[in-house]
């Protein structure tokens, strides 16, 4: 990172060569050190290297201090550990698997404890009672406009921590045991930098919380990335998108979990680490691309590579098995890199050269704008409307009155007594008052994005329906 920032923007060739070296892969024996450098993790570690304590010693101190830490996230972690024991079913490897789970657990608890005390208002006693380590500085020794964030727990965080501490190179058993403490420390500081430290925060939208009182993450980042992937497929592979939609398959079925775990448990381990080389290298690369575009690039490339098989699928389960099976078969890391970089070139490079906004990004922005436009209306209907209907309108009295007069609720009584009372609360906000109702208005664009319809059959259905008495009144319902 420091080498890349030391070059001026005019030295394009050097920056391009560095990125190409990172894309070709990092040697396993160097991987942890390079990851720490390209994500600014080294700067964060050096900031906490105070009083002669190494980053590993600081981490071990935090693990000891977090033994008594309790929160909803810690309780959920304990439940997930029971299910995580089933990740490995080979009898001879269960002991090492449980030992690795315990190390991943220590990393997750230390992350939650460390960020919670640093974002807490009462920090004087903490600083005095925690071995003299300064946990209170909000800058981490790096210059950034971002604020320090808190780490919140979900099962995906345990999965990522579990894979980060896997051995990167072949070592003797004694040497591997000796490196465990160092590997745990490097994994902790890497996750802390990617989630909470103001110097990076690439994964803050995945595992971060706005303040320490939140025990569970916001989860907005993965949903945003899945939405952007959905728009990319709708724009550039519309045939695939229409077919998957007609089968009732949503991309979040596979890719929400894949994005949250950064493809852990889907890609083979060697291929996964090569993908993380690319993902972490792009975490601080200053471009106009989405911050985690590598996740979207790989997903889009997989859908394009499997287009023929996806179009032949007849159910959502077949689609899911097709995508997951292809990801699990990518044993060649070079093939995965080719798929990812080809999709990156197709989705973003041409648009950036023209200094414009890609069509999928514009569709996402439009979707966000529509959501913000109707959010107030939805909140009003879900809260204020229910209060008016249950406390102010007193519909029970009206219904009992109608039932007393004619012994049954007829359409005439509903139209004359009930509907006028609920019409006011159900009206929309001023700018779209004519569309107000309990039913959500569907735009023509959404209606048009669907499977092709045979117009001859449709006209026949309409002609037959017109012969039904009262069809026109049913087809043009009365607006409230």
């Amino acid at each position: 990172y420091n080498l890349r920032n030391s070059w001026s923007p005019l030295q394009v060739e050097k920056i391009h060569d560095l990125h190409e070296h990172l894309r070709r892969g990092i040697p396993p024996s160097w991987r942890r050190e390079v990851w720490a450098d390209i994500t600014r993790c080294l700067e964060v570690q050096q900031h906490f290297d105070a009083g002669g304590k190494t980053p590993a010693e600081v981490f071990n101190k935090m693990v000891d201090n977090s033994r008594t830490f309790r929160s909803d996230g810690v309780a959920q972690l304990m439940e997930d550990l029971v299910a995580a024991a089933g990740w490995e079913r080979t009898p001879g490897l269960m002991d090492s698997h449980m030992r690795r789970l315990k190390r991943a657990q220590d990393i997750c608890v230390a992350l939650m404890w460390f960020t919670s005390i640093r974002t807490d208002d009462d920090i004087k006693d903490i600083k005095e009672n925690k071995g003299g380590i300064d946990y209170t500085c909000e800058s981490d020794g790096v210059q950034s406009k971002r604020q320090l964030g808190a780490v919140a727990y979900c099962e995906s965080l345990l999965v990522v921590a579990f894979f980060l501490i896997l051995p990167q190179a072949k070592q003797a058993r004694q040497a591997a045991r000796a490196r465990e403490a160092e590997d745990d420390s490097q994994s902790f500081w890497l996750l802390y930098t990617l989630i909470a430290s103001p110097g990076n925060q690439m994964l803050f939208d995945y595992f971060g919380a706005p303040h320490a009182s939140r025990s569970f993450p916001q989860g907005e980042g993965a949903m945003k990335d899945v939405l952007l992937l959905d728009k990319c497929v709708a724009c550039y592979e519309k045939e695939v998108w229409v077919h998957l939609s007609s089968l009732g398959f949503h991309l979040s079925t596979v890719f929400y979990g894949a994005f949250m775990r950064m493809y852990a448990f889907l890609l083979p381990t060697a291929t996964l680490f090569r993908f993380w080389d690319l993902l972490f290298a792009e975490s601080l690369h200053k471009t106009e691309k989405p911050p985690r575009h590598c996740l979207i690039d790989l997903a889009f490339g997989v859908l394009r590579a499997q287009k023929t098989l996806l179009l032949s699928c007849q159910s959502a389960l077949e689609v899911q098995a097709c995508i997951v099976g292809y990801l699990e078969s990518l044993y060649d890391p070079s093939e995965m890199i080719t798929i990812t970089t080809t999709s990156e070139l197709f989705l973003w490079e041409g648009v950036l050269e023209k200094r414009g906004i890609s069509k999928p990004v514009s569709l996402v922005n439009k979707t966000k704008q529509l959501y913000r436009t109707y959010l107030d209306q939805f909140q009003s209907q879900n809260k204020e409307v229910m209060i008016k209907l249950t406390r102010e309108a007193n519909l029970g009295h009206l219904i009992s009155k109608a039932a007393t007069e004619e012994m049954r609720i007829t359409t005439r009584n509903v139209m004359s007594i009930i509907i006028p009372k609920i019409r006011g609360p159900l009206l929309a906000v001023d700018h779209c008052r004519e569309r107000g109702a309990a039913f959500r208005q569907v735009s023509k664009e959404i209606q048009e994005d669907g499977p092709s319809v045979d117009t001859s059959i449709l006209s026949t259905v309409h002609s037959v329906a017109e012969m039904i008495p009262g069809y026109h009144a049913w087809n043009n319902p009365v607006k409230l």
Side-chain angles (χ1 to χ4, degrees):
Y1 172 80
N2 293 328
L3 180 63
R4 182 165 55 190
N5 276 8
S6 65
W7 295 330
S8 66
L10 299 178
Q11 295 175 301
V12 180
E13 294 184 359
K14 289 186 177 181
I15 298 177
H16 177 74
D17 291 341
L18 177 60
H19 291 164
E20 286 300 315
H21 283 297
L22 293 174
R23 288 172 184 266
R24 292 191 182 100
I26 302 172
S29 58
W30 299 356
R31 182 163 278 142
R32 297 185 188 278
E33 288 73 15
V34 176
W35 282 354
D37 189 20
I38 61 180
T39 58
R40 302 187 76 175
C41 179
L42 281 180
E43 295 183 50
V44 177
Q45 292 184 33
Q46 293 171 0
H47 174 68
F48 289 98
D49 185 9
K53 292 183 174 64
T54 64
E57 292 173 341
V58 175
F59 167 70
N60 292 331
K61 187 68 176 178
M62 281 189 280
V63 171
D64 294 336
N65 293 332
S66 63
R67 300 293 185 191
T68 58
F69 179 67
R70 296 293 181 268
S71 69
D72 293 338
V74 175
Q76 183 62 48
L77 172 60
M78 298 306 172
E79 294 183 11
D80 293 338
L81 287 173
V82 179
W87 293 351
E88 180 61 63
R89 302 193 178 186
T90 306
L93 300 178
M94 284 303 298
D95 291 341
S96 60
H97 174 70
M98 297 304 297
R99 179 182 177 86
R100 191 172 291 121
L101 275 179
K102 181 62 172 63
R103 294 163 57 196
Q105 174 193 355
D106 291 341
I107 293 174
C108 293
V109 176
L111 282 170
M112 289 185 283
W113 176 84
F114 182 49
T115 55
S116 66
I117 66 169
R118 297 192 67 205
T119 53
D120 197 337
D121 295 332
D122 188 12
I123 55 181
K124 293 183 179 180
D125 294 338
I126 294 171
K127 183 177 179 181
E128 294 175 357
N129 297 330
K130 301 306 176 184
I133 301 173
D134 186 5
Y135 297 128
T136 64
C137 180
E138 297 184 359
S139 64
D140 286 348
V142 296
Q143 296 181 355
S144 177
K145 296 181 180 179
R146 304 185 186 97
Q147 295 181 352
L148 179 68
V151 176
Y153 173 77
C154 66
E155 186 185 17
S156 298
L157 181 63
L158 176 64
V159 173
V160 175
F162 179 83
F163 274 83
L164 278 176
I165 60 178
L166 290 176
Q168 296 287 345
K170 186 177 181 180
Q171 297 175 342
R173 178 172 298 183
Q174 294 181 352
R177 284 292 181 91
R179 277 196 56 88
E180 283 185 359
E182 186 68 25
D183 293 344
D184 294 352
S185 172
Q186 291 177 343
S187 300
F188 167 84
W189 289 111
L190 178 63
L191 282 174
Y192 170 75
T193 304
L194 292 173
I195 300 172
S197 176
N200 194 303
Q201 291 188 348
M202 180 189 71
L203 299 178
F204 178 76
D205 291 339
Y206 278 48
F207 306 111
H211 43 77
S213 61
R214 283 282 296 271
S215 298
F216 300 101
Q218 304 176 88
E220 297 178 357
M223 293 303 297
K224 291 178 182 178
D225 292 342
V226 171
L227 177 61
L228 183 54
L229 172 63
D230 182 76
K231 300 304 180 184
C232 290
V233 178
C235 290
Y236 302 122
E237 293 293 342
K238 188 173 183 179
E239 185 180 4
V240 175
W241 186 84
V242 170
H243 182 69
L244 298 184
S245 300
S246 66
L247 295 177
F249 178 82
H250 195 271
L251 294 176
S252 61
T253 306
V254 173
F255 291 108
Y256 179 82
F259 288 176
M260 287 294 295
R261 300 178 177 186
M262 297 188 290
Y263 290 99
F265 284 131
L266 286 177
L267 291 174
T269 305
T271 306
L272 176 68
F273 288 149
R274 278 291 302 274
F275 176 74
W276 285 1
D277 292 343
L278 183 62
L279 179 65
F280 295 159
E282 293 291 316
S283 63
L284 291 174
H285 190 195
K286 299 178 181 179
T287 64
E288 298 179 9
K289 304 173 188 176
R292 298 168 296 272
H293 66 89
C294 295
L295 299 171
I296 302 172
D297 298 339
L298 178 56
F300 183 78
V302 167
L303 294 175
R304 293 189 74 187
Q306 295 295 96
K307 179 177 180 179
T308 304
L309 289 178
L310 291 175
L311 292 177
S312 64
C313 292
Q314 299 298 318
S315 67
L317 288 177
E318 288 186 50
V319 175
Q320 182 176 355
C322 179
I323 297 174
V324 173
Y326 184 76
L327 285 169
E328 292 177 346
S329 66
L330 289 175
Y331 289 99
D332 184 5
S334 300
E335 181 182 357
M336 179 274 302
I337 293 294
T338 302
I339 293 173
T340 306
T341 54
T342 302
S343 300
E344 178 186 3
L345 180 64
F346 178 81
L347 292 174
W348 319 112
E349 295 295 339
V351 176
L352 295 178
E353 291 178 359
K354 298 178 182 178
R355 296 296 178 183
I357 300 178
S358 65
K359 187 176 180 180
V361 174
S362 63
L363 288 176
V364 170
N365 295 335
K366 183 179 179 180
T367 303
K368 292 179 181 179
Q369 183 179 1
L370 290 174
Y371 177 79
R372 287 191 295 266
T373 301
Y374 289 97
L375 178 60
D376 293 337
Q377 176 182 343
F378 292 171
Q379 290 179 338
S380 176
Q381 290 180 353
N382 294 335
K383 294 181 180 180
E384 298 176 4
V385 171
M386 296 305 299
I387 293 176
K388 292 181 180 179
L389 291 179
T390 57
R391 298 182 182 179
E392 300 177 7
N394 196 10
L395 295 180
H397 172 69
L398 296 174
I399 294 174
S400 61
K401 179 180 178 181
T404 303
E405 294 179 354
E406 295 194 12
M407 302 301 294
R408 62 192 178 93
I409 300 178
T410 62
T411 304
R412 183 181 64 182
N413 287 335
V414 171
M415 295 291 294
S416 61
I417 300 176
I418 305 299
I419 291 182
K421 281 292 183 180
I422 66 176
R423 180 184 300 165
L426 289 179
L427 285 179
V429 293
D430 295 335
H431 64 274
C432 53
R433 182 171 291 274
E434 70 279 1
R435 299 180 182 178
F439 300 101
R440 309 311 194 204
Q441 183 73 14
V442 180
S443 63
K444 294 182 178 180
E445 291 79 4
I446 296 178
Q447 296 175 3
E448 292 175 356
D449 284 334
S452 58
V453 180
D454 190 343
T455 56
S456 61
I457 297 178
L458 189 62
S459 60
T460 303
V461 172
H462 280 293
S463 61
V464 173
E466 288 178 354
M467 295 185 292
I468 301 175
Y471 167 73
H472 292 286
W474 170 80
N475 197 31
N476 297 281
V478 179
K479 293 183 179 180
L480 297 179

